[in-house]
């Protein structure tokens, strides 16, 4: 928030224009991708097959520790509240 408060009017305008340009380009690219996928369904299947490869990037250990801590806190809160255990997990 300090970054925004230190900006001058023209800098704020430049950041806004840059953000708007990126948003418009992303929307344009998504529309082009949908049109392309409708024309070439085999290519669309190949692209969709590549998306799960994103999950191959490892999760940083710090994030795993945070998730474990959140689970422990949630279990502790459930025990304090006296709620029956959840058998669906």
């Amino acid at each position: 928030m300090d970054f925004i408060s230190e900006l001058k009017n023209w800098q704020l305008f430049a950041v806004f224009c840059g953000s708007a340009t990126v948003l418009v380009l992303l929307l344009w690219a998504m529309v082009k991708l949908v049109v392309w996928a409708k024309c070439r369904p085999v290519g669309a299947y190949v692209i969709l097959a590549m998306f799960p490869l994103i999950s191959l990037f490892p999760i940083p250990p710090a994030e795993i520790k945070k998730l474990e801590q959140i689970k422990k806190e949630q279990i502790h809160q459930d025990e304090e509240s006296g709620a029956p255990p959840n058998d669906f997990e």
Side-chain angles (χ1 to χ4, degrees), residues 28-79:
W28 176 79
M30 284 190 266
V31 167
K32 293 297 262 185
L33 183 64
V34 168
V35 169
W36 175 80
K38 286 183 179 181
C39 295
R40 294 182 174 81
V42 174
Y45 288 131
V46 170
I47 295 287
L48 288 174
M50 289 183 190
F51 279 131
L53 295 177
I54 295 171
S55 65
L56 294 178
F57 295 114
I59 299 173
E63 294 299 320
I64 293 174
K65 289 180 183 177
K66 287 180 188 176
L67 291 173
E68 290 174 353
Q69 182 66 25
I70 291 170
K71 285 181 183 179
K72 287 179 184 177
E73 289 175 3
Q74 186 178 12
I75 291 172
H76 183 63
Q77 289 175 353
D78 288 344
E79 289 175 355

